Amino acid sequence: MTTAPASPPRVVVIGAGIVGCSLADELTARGWTDVTVLDQGPLPAPGGSTSHAPGLVFRTSPSKTLSAFAGYTIEKFGALEVDGLPCFNPVGGLELATTEERWAELHRRAGYAASWGIRGELVSPERCKELWPLLDTRKVLGGFHTPDDGLARAVLACRAQMARAEARGARFLGRHTVTGIERDGGRVTGVITDQGTFPADHVVSAAGFWGPVIGRMAGVDVPLLPLAHQYAKTNPLPELAGVDDPRTEASRPILRFQDRDLYFREHIDRIGIGSYAHRPLPVDPFTVPAYDEAPVMPSSYPFTPEDFAPSWEDCRWLLPALAGDAVEIEEGFNGVFSFTPDGMPLLGESRELRGFWLAEAVWVTHSAGVAKAVAEWMVDGRPTTDVHECDLTRFEDAQRSPAYVAERGAQQFVEVYDVLHPLQPMETPRPLRVGPFHARQQELGAVFLEGGGWERPHWYEANAPLAQETELPERDAWSARFWSPIAAAEARATREKVALYDMTPLRRLEVTGPGALAFLQRMTTNNLAKKPGAVTYTLLLDESGGIRSDLTVARLAADRFQIGANSLADEDWLLRHAPDGGVTIRDITAGTCCIGVWGPLARDLVQPLTRDDFSHQGFGYFRARQTYLGHVPVTAMRLSYVGELGWELYTSADLGLRLWDTLWEAGRELGVIAAGRSAFNSLRLEKGYRSWGHDMTAEHTPYEAGLGFAVRMDKGDFVGRAALERAGEPRRKLTALLLDDPAAVVLGKEPVFVDGLPAGYVTSASYGYTLGRCVAYAWLPPLPSGTPVHVEYIGEKVPATVADEPLFDPEMHRIRR
């Protein structure tokens, strides 16, 4: 007797733009054929951002994830045709430099391309002229040419994917305005429209800039800001002979003039011009007119010539053919599309409303890649591409206010083509989140950068006199930004004396209840069945064995654990898998704080403040204890992320300032200093400690990342265990590199060359002040220690050597004393 196969889940996709159509195609290709796509406008061009998109697809990005999304979009659309017309035109891309700063940035972008496997080359002004004859080469220093990029015909791609999805059973319904989301017991059950109700097991909001409107119906926050972006077309130009082939309307590369926030593409005998140079033009998604009420379409607002006037002069400066009296802007509009506070998409399933998914703030550039990832997520439980930068949980509550979303979304628009340093913090709204030590840090001249809304000291100007004793190689201008030689002094003080580090932004979770141990054993890789007082380094894996996060778990009592986590996604993951009873998970970050006390004199500082034994025998490594330091109750954990003796000291936020002052006064005679994250990052890399999200993600397994020691296959079942059992020998490894030249520095994401060919990329890097060399970690094929490699930094091949790790104190003498 055979069992009939289960019916595929009922999926309703809200939005028939490029994301919704791509998702329907990807879902039905995976066997989820009961898919209904709804849109308020007529099909196949319902009037959202897709209907007016100029179709630029550039793959090169500092984000490996976005580059992968764009690459799949090119691959997929390049194979689609409608009525004999291709859905993608591989005209290539050409980015210009008219300043030295931009020319250096194009060298970095060429490095990203090599890191992510994208074909591209830096070209001379003469070659730029060959690719774009209308250019005035006297204005150009050079360009970055990516021959496989090009133009997507978004509406045609929608039609092609609609036809494929319909052939597998999907249906597309225009003129259906969504008015509500049905839910029951924390799950989505249907979508209400003005034409009736559609039952659903899964609902995907792919509504573009209407995402916040749909989100409000579902009770799900969608932190994005719609903004209008200017696009104009010239009248016909005699210099453009046109294209005889009806299959294409452009033959030259997409041209980007980022120094003036402009891009150009051909429309047969006209030039289309897009500008980000104007003031932000926010749009309230709740007041966008309906299709039949809009003058052109809902996403098309009237052109504002006064905003475009400065850009038109810049166009004429770069392209002399536009400077003639007969050339003018023939038509234009302000097209609406979406920006998030960090410029990345919003993807994933809501935990508060199970079955409700977001695929929002997605541009045509990344559309098919996003759709593939979301379809994999829905059908298989995980995407094959790491999406932590896009996860809908990534924003803190303080980053979700309407004021924050509006301010940061507008700034993302302003910065689209800006040259941004990887450490460059946002300027406003700051300060937003400060720890209880903030006043003391300001008194010490802390130089703050920002992360997750937190003000994070990177070094302290009070330590400048210590830096006068430090001899360091001179840095290039790029690596010297958001850096100070004071960091070297702080690192040395940590190695020689003792330093206080503000670890408050580290996320802290409390897991309690009679089922807490069994739950955490199931969710993590290491063995947590230890006596209270034990601290364990462990990993969160997904079902495929990919590293979702790394954690430190302190068992403070039989049924109470404190977890040091990385992000909101960790809490979300645990809550999704928690049993209905017996386990409580609580984020305690905001109500607590933490100081890392590290260095060879750490015990001399802490021991006189407590009656408990802080000796090595009395308080061993990776142990935890609740005690008092002076008047302050603390949870002390003997951990060190910098490779030195010391403790992480936790207390409640209201007592944080008293804890800082207690430690500071006790440490004066020992020469205690406050140290920042710049020194911290250097020290942790010398020790080989990984940083999740930088050094490893869900695309990597523990054995590839060098974290097999945190996996106990003999402890019983855990999430990801079966996948690890099936895994073969790693074909890539997170590899320690030492740059050969003591003066050389790299920052991260640079390509690594082996035998002259690109073989991987740098994840994290920092100058190792103890070692006198820059330390870089990179994903590479397995290579023996001593193998010579090259890291490309701003166009230069920098020699480096594969090194055994840990690079510093491999015997662990300094920590275990």
Side-chain angles (χ1 to χ4, degrees), residues 105 131 180 209 224 233 238 244 284 334 353 385 400 477 498 661 672 678 696 763 790 805-806:
E105 173 70 358
L131 293 166
F209 61 80
L224 67 79
K233 290 182 185 178
D244 296 330
D284 183 350
N334 291 355
L353 183 59
T385 301
R400 290 179 172 271
V498 61
D661 289 344
V672 69
S678 187
M696 72 277 193
T763 59
H790 287 86
E805 58 172 332

Side-chain angles (χ1 to χ4, degrees), residues 297-506:
M297 65 176 92
S299 64
S300 180
Y301 277 59
F303 192 61
T304 49
E306 65 278 9
D307 288 312
F308 193 74
S311 291
W312 181 235
E313 292 305 312
D314 290 332
C315 296
R316 292 153 66 96
W317 179 82
L318 182 71
L319 306 174
L322 303 183
D325 293 338
V327 182
E328 61 184 6
I329 296 300
E330 189 171 79
E331 59 179 293
F333 66 97
N334 291 355
V336 183
F337 63 142
S338 302
F339 285 81
T340 58
D342 61 2
M344 298 293 286
L346 290 168
L347 311 179
E349 182 191 20
S350 167
R351 190 184 74 254
E352 290 78 12
L353 183 59
R354 297 295 182 92
F356 184 82
W357 295 76
L358 295 184
E360 296 290 10
V362 182
W363 297 3
V364 171
T365 307
H366 312 113
S367 54
V370 163
K372 174 176 178 283
V374 173
E376 291 172 335
W377 209 341
M378 296 175 71
V379 176
D380 304 324
R382 69 179 293 271
T384 53
T385 301
D386 171 61
V387 294
H388 82 273
E389 294 175 305
C390 311
D391 195 300
L392 60 84
T393 66
R394 68 187 182 273
F395 295 117
E396 305 280 347
D397 286 346
Q399 297 172 304
R400 290 179 172 271
S401 70
Y404 186 95
V405 172
E407 190 168 344
R408 293 305 307 157
Q411 187 63 23
Q412 288 298 324
F413 178 91
V414 170
E415 294 176 353
V416 163
Y417 283 162
D418 285 2
V419 176
L420 299 175
H421 192 276
L423 291 177
Q424 187 166 331
M426 66 182 190
E427 295 182 2
T428 59
R430 290 180 62 193
L432 183 62
R433 306 176 78 188
V434 298
F437 326 127
H438 188 252
R440 297 292 183 265
Q441 292 166 340
Q442 287 180 307
E443 292 168 3
L444 293 170
V447 175
F448 294 98
L449 301 187
E450 181 273 341
W454 287 101
E455 294 296 311
R456 299 184 177 194
H458 271 242
W459 66 85
Y460 292 84
E461 290 295 332
N463 296 323
L466 301 177
Q468 296 175 3
E469 308 167 14
T470 303
E471 292 186 9
L472 292 172
E474 186 174 349
R475 286 202 173 205
D476 67 279
W478 185 248
S479 66
R481 292 185 67 187
F482 306 106
W483 172 84
S484 168
I486 294 172
E490 293 177 358
R492 187 179 71 247
T494 307
R495 291 277 187 241
E496 296 177 356
K497 294 183 179 179
V498 61
L500 305 185
Y501 287 82
D502 180 3
M503 303 300 291
T504 299
L506 173 72

